[in-house]
């Protein structure tokens, strides 16, 4: 939920003396009702809260044009802002506040990558690049909303040599090993060490036979070097021995084996935004389908 404060200032209009010409007197006289109205008005600080809760409006057959909520909040009007619908809720002047409740539905956009893989992401996530037709290992495709730092990436790497005999938990440890052991990793927490297996339909809609494994974890990243400081306390160190800020990101990922390769799809956002982003990230990650072999 996000809030924004709107500030209004009290207005006072000073009246000029009536020693001007008759035309000026008539002009001043015509303004008196408006001036008195402005002087008698009380303008308060107004607080607006935006929420993605479902929109609730009064029924059509309501006998009153306004609906009381909790005795003091009143539905003033419904507003339409493009695809966003909302209601304005205003309290009494004693504790004047304005609440805007909005509801919106994310639009999804399907992609077929150059290698034939399919994925569906929110339309606010742009495709930065698609290298899936290359034989190289590494990142094949990258999507993101670069204003809010929400991302989805698709990796290809060699399977572990003994992948056929590894348990799903051991496969997950192999998938996460690079990030866990990276020198910039300041903290690492796996939500569930045993990945969830699923067998979705294939890309063409036919019954699937390939197992995808889902997992979730949080990663604290040091943009410099992670070192042990005094009293065993770790530091994130930058140039000139300067302490750098730690960035925490949350990830939802799936991995799948095909041929000699392992494909890893990761959706992520900053830790403080994760609760809001998670539904879209999970949906995007789980929409991934390998190209037909």
């Amino acid at each position: 939920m996000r809030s924004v404060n709107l500030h209004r200032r009290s207005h006072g209009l000073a009246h000029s003396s009536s020693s001007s010409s008759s035309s000026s007197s008539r002009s001043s006289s015509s303004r008196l009702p408006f001036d008195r109205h402005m002087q008698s008005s009380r303008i308060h600080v107004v607080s607006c809260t935006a929420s993605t809760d479902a929109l609730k409006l009064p029924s059509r057959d309501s006998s009153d044009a306004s609906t009381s909520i909790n005795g003091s909040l009143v539905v003033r009007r419904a507003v339409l802002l493009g695809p966003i619908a909302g209601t304005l809720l205003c309290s009494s002047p004693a504790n004047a506040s304005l609440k805007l409740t909005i509801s919106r539905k994310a639009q999804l956009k399907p992609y077929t990558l150059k290698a034939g893989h399919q994925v569906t992401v929110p339309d606010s996530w742009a495709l930065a690049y698609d290298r899936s037709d290359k034989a190289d290992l590494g990142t094949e495709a990258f999507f993101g909303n670069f204003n809010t730092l929400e991302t989805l990436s698709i990796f290809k790497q060699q399977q572990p040599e003994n992948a056929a005999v590894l348990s799903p938990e051991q496969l997950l440890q192999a998938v996460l090993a690079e990030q866990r052991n990276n020198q910039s990793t300041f903290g690492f927490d796996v939500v569930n060490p045993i990945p969830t297996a699923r067998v979705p339909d294939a890309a063409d809609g036919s019954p699937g036979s390939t197992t995808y494994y889902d997992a979730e974890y949080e990663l604290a990243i040091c943009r410099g070097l992670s070192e042990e400081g005094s009293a065993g306390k770790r530091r994130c160190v930058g140039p000139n021995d300067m302490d750098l800020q730690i960035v925490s990101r949350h990830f939802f990922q799936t991995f799948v084996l095909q041929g000699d390769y392992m494909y890893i799809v990761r959706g992520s956002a900053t830790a403080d935004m994760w609760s809001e982003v998670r539904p879209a990230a999970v949906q995007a990650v789980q929409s991934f389908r390998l190209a037909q072999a």
Side-chain angles (χ1 to χ4, degrees):
M1 183 172 290
R2 300 173 183 168
S3 299
V4 59
N5 289 328
L6 307 178
H7 297 277
R8 301 180 181 174
R9 298 175 180 174
S10 298
H11 294 275
L13 297 178
H15 296 293
S16 61
S17 65
S18 59
S19 61
S20 58
S21 64
S22 58
S23 61
S24 298
S25 298
R26 285 193 299 271
S27 175
S28 298
S29 176
S30 65
R31 291 177 54 193
L32 282 176
F34 173 77
D35 288 347
R36 289 184 183 129
H37 170 73
M38 292 300 294
Q39 289 176 333
S40 63
S41 297
R42 296 283 185 178
I43 309 300
H44 301 271
V45 174
V46 179
S47 174
C48 296
T49 303
S51 161
T52 53
D53 298 338
L55 174 64
K56 295 182 180 179
L57 294 176
S59 60
R60 286 179 174 269
D61 55 357
S62 175
S63 59
D64 193 348
S66 62
T67 301
S68 176
I69 299 178
N70 294 332
S72 63
L73 293 179
V74 179
V75 179
R76 297 299 187 192
R77 64 173 69 87
V79 295
L80 294 179
L81 306 174
I84 300 176
T87 58
L88 293 179
L89 306 180
C90 300
S91 68
S92 60
N95 60 343
S97 65
L98 177 66
K99 181 176 181 181
L100 172 63
T101 302
I102 62 175
S103 177
R104 61 184 175 86
K105 183 177 180 180
Q107 301 297 313
L108 301 176
K109 184 175 181 178
Y111 286 86
T112 299
L113 303 180
K114 293 175 181 178
H117 311 317
Q118 295 183 11
V119 66
T120 300
V121 303
D123 59 1
S124 61
W125 296 10
L127 174 60
Y129 58 82
D130 175 6
R131 303 169 184 162
S132 60
D133 58 336
K134 308 297 182 184
D136 302 338
L137 300 179
T139 306
E140 289 201 324
F142 190 81
F143 298 82
N145 181 330
F146 303 108
N147 292 320
T148 57
L149 302 181
E150 304 160 23
T151 66
L152 183 135
S153 52
I154 301 171
F155 300 86
K156 180 174 72 174
Q157 66 184 46
Q158 289 285 346
Q159 284 192 30
E161 292 182 3
N162 55 344
V165 298
L166 294 180
S167 67
E169 183 178 1
Q170 290 171 323
L171 284 172
L172 176 61
Q173 294 305 316
V175 168
L176 299 178
E178 181 179 353
Q179 285 183 298
R180 185 192 298 272
N181 300 327
N182 194 292
Q183 193 173 14
S184 66
T185 297
F186 201 81
F188 198 90
D189 180 38
V190 180
V191 175
N192 188 346
I194 302 177
T196 303
R198 57 188 174 86
V199 183
D201 290 342
D204 60 4
S206 61
S209 59
T210 303
T211 303
Y212 294 71
Y213 298 93
D214 296 339
E216 191 169 340
Y217 62 96
E218 188 164 314
L219 177 66
I221 305 168
C222 169
R223 298 301 185 188
L225 296 177
S226 178
E227 297 181 352
E228 185 172 340
S230 59
K233 185 177 180 180
R234 297 179 67 201
R235 297 175 58 210
C236 180
V237 182
N240 301 320
D241 201 41
M242 181 182 355
D243 288 321
L244 300 180
Q245 182 179 5
I246 306 300
V247 178
S248 293
R249 292 189 68 82
H250 208 103
F251 293 79
F252 184 88
Q253 74 166 24
T254 193
F255 65 89
V256 57
L257 308 178
Q258 186 184 68
D260 295 330
Y261 302 106
M262 176 183 289
Y263 294 85
I264 307 164
V265 184
R266 293 185 177 119
S268 77
T270 57
D272 59 345
M273 289 288 294
W274 181 246
S275 60
E276 180 180 337
V277 174
R278 188 182 189 279
V282 171
Q283 185 174 13
V285 168
Q286 292 186 336
S287 75
F288 177 76
R289 298 293 184 274
L290 284 171
Q292 298 295 323

